[in-house]
Protein backbone atom coordinates (compact mmCIF):
# COMPACT_ATOMS: atom_id res chain seq x y z
CA UNK A 1 0.00 0.00 0.00
CA UNK A 2 1.46 3.36 -1.02
CA UNK A 3 1.25 6.24 1.44
CA UNK A 4 -0.25 9.41 0.02
CA UNK A 5 1.98 12.45 -0.23
CA UNK A 6 1.14 15.41 1.94
CA UNK A 7 2.34 18.87 1.11
CA UNK A 8 2.96 21.78 3.45
CA UNK A 9 0.85 24.89 3.22
CA UNK A 10 3.95 26.86 2.20
CA UNK A 11 4.56 24.56 -0.76
CA UNK A 12 0.91 24.75 -1.82
CA UNK A 13 0.97 28.55 -1.60
CA UNK A 14 4.14 28.72 -3.69
CA UNK A 15 2.58 26.55 -6.39
CA UNK A 16 -0.73 28.47 -6.40
CA UNK A 17 1.01 31.83 -6.63
CA UNK A 18 3.01 30.57 -9.56
CA UNK A 19 -0.17 29.35 -11.25
CA UNK A 20 -1.85 32.72 -10.64
CA UNK A 21 1.07 34.58 -12.23
CA UNK A 22 0.28 32.70 -15.47
CA UNK A 23 3.86 32.86 -16.74
CA UNK A 24 3.68 29.12 -17.43
CA UNK A 25 0.79 26.78 -18.12
CA UNK A 26 -0.70 24.68 -15.35
CA UNK A 27 0.74 21.57 -17.00
CA UNK A 28 4.26 23.02 -17.04
CA UNK A 29 4.05 24.04 -13.38
CA UNK A 30 2.68 20.63 -12.42
CA UNK A 31 5.52 18.92 -14.28
CA UNK A 32 8.04 21.25 -12.61
CA UNK A 33 6.84 20.32 -9.09
CA UNK A 34 6.01 16.69 -9.96
CA UNK A 35 2.28 17.12 -9.35
CA UNK A 36 -0.81 16.15 -11.29
CA UNK A 37 -2.30 19.13 -13.16
CA UNK A 38 -5.69 18.56 -11.53
CA UNK A 39 -4.04 18.90 -8.11
CA UNK A 40 -2.69 22.34 -8.96
CA UNK A 41 -6.11 23.34 -10.31
CA UNK A 42 -7.76 22.14 -7.11
CA UNK A 43 -5.38 24.17 -4.97
CA UNK A 44 -5.96 27.17 -7.22
CA UNK A 45 -9.74 26.91 -6.79
CA UNK A 46 -9.42 26.52 -3.00
CA UNK A 47 -7.13 29.51 -2.62
CA UNK A 48 -9.66 32.37 -2.99
CA UNK A 49 -12.06 30.90 -0.43
CA UNK A 50 -9.27 30.49 2.15
CA UNK A 51 -7.25 33.61 1.36
CA UNK A 52 -9.26 35.80 3.74
CA UNK A 53 -8.10 33.72 6.71
CA UNK A 54 -4.53 34.91 6.11
CA UNK A 55 -5.36 38.41 7.32
CA UNK A 56 -7.75 37.35 10.08
CA UNK A 57 -6.75 38.10 13.65
CA UNK A 58 -5.31 35.17 15.53
CA UNK A 59 -3.85 33.55 12.43
CA UNK A 60 -1.08 32.07 14.55
CA UNK A 61 -3.62 30.29 16.77
CA UNK A 62 -3.13 26.84 15.20
CA UNK A 63 0.58 27.10 16.01
CA UNK A 64 -0.25 27.93 19.62
CA UNK A 65 -2.66 24.99 19.74
CA UNK A 66 0.06 22.64 18.48
CA UNK A 67 2.42 23.98 21.12
CA UNK A 68 -0.19 23.47 23.86
CA UNK A 69 -0.88 19.93 22.65
CA UNK A 70 2.82 19.11 22.76
CA UNK A 71 3.08 20.48 26.31
CA UNK A 72 0.03 18.52 27.49
CA UNK A 73 1.50 15.39 25.96
CA UNK A 74 4.78 15.98 27.77
CA UNK A 75 2.96 16.58 31.10
CA UNK A 76 1.04 13.33 30.63
CA UNK A 77 4.23 11.44 29.88
CA UNK A 78 5.95 12.85 32.95
CA UNK A 79 2.93 11.98 35.11
CA UNK A 80 3.10 8.38 33.90
CA UNK A 81 6.80 8.23 34.74
CA UNK A 82 6.18 9.60 38.24
CA UNK A 83 3.39 7.06 38.83
CA UNK A 84 5.64 4.24 37.60
CA UNK A 85 8.49 5.31 39.86
CA UNK A 86 6.13 5.53 42.85
CA UNK A 87 5.05 1.92 42.21
CA UNK A 88 8.62 0.74 41.83
CA UNK A 89 9.76 2.46 45.03
CA UNK A 90 6.67 1.25 46.90
CA UNK A 91 5.36 4.64 47.92
Amino acid sequence: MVKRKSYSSGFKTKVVLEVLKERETVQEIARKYELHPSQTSTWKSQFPSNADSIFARGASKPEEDREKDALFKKVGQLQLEVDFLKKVLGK
Side-chain angles (χ1 to χ4, degrees):
M1 191 172 209
V2 178
K3 186 176 178 184
R4 297 177 80 178
K5 289 184 180 180
S6 61
Y7 301 99
S8 68
S9 59
F11 176 77
K12 290 178 184 180
T13 304
K14 183 170 91 171
V15 172
V16 168
L17 290 176
E18 205 165 316
V19 170
L20 290 173
K21 288 178 185 176
E22 295 181 348
R23 293 183 181 157
E24 298 175 276
T25 65
V26 173
Q27 288 77 14
E28 291 171 338
I29 294 170
R31 191 176 315 116
K32 178 179 175 181
Y33 291 105
E34 299 177 1
L35 298 167
H36 195 275
S38 65
Q39 185 66 58
T40 58
S41 298
T42 302
W43 291 345
K44 181 183 174 185
S45 65
Q46 290 173 349
F47 184 74
S49 61
N50 297 324
D52 60 339
S53 65
I54 295 169
F55 299 110
R57 290 191 179 249
S60 63
K61 191 141 181 111
E63 184 178 325
E64 292 173 3
D65 288 344
R66 278 186 258 131
E67 198 172 338
K68 277 184 184 178
D69 290 342
L71 290 173
F72 282 128
K73 184 177 178 182
K74 186 68 174 177
V75 167
Q77 180 184 0
L78 292 172
Q79 187 63 44
L80 283 173
E81 291 175 9
V82 166
D83 291 344
F84 173 77
L85 291 173
K86 282 182 181 179
K87 281 185 183 178
V88 170
L89 295 174
K91 291 186 177 184

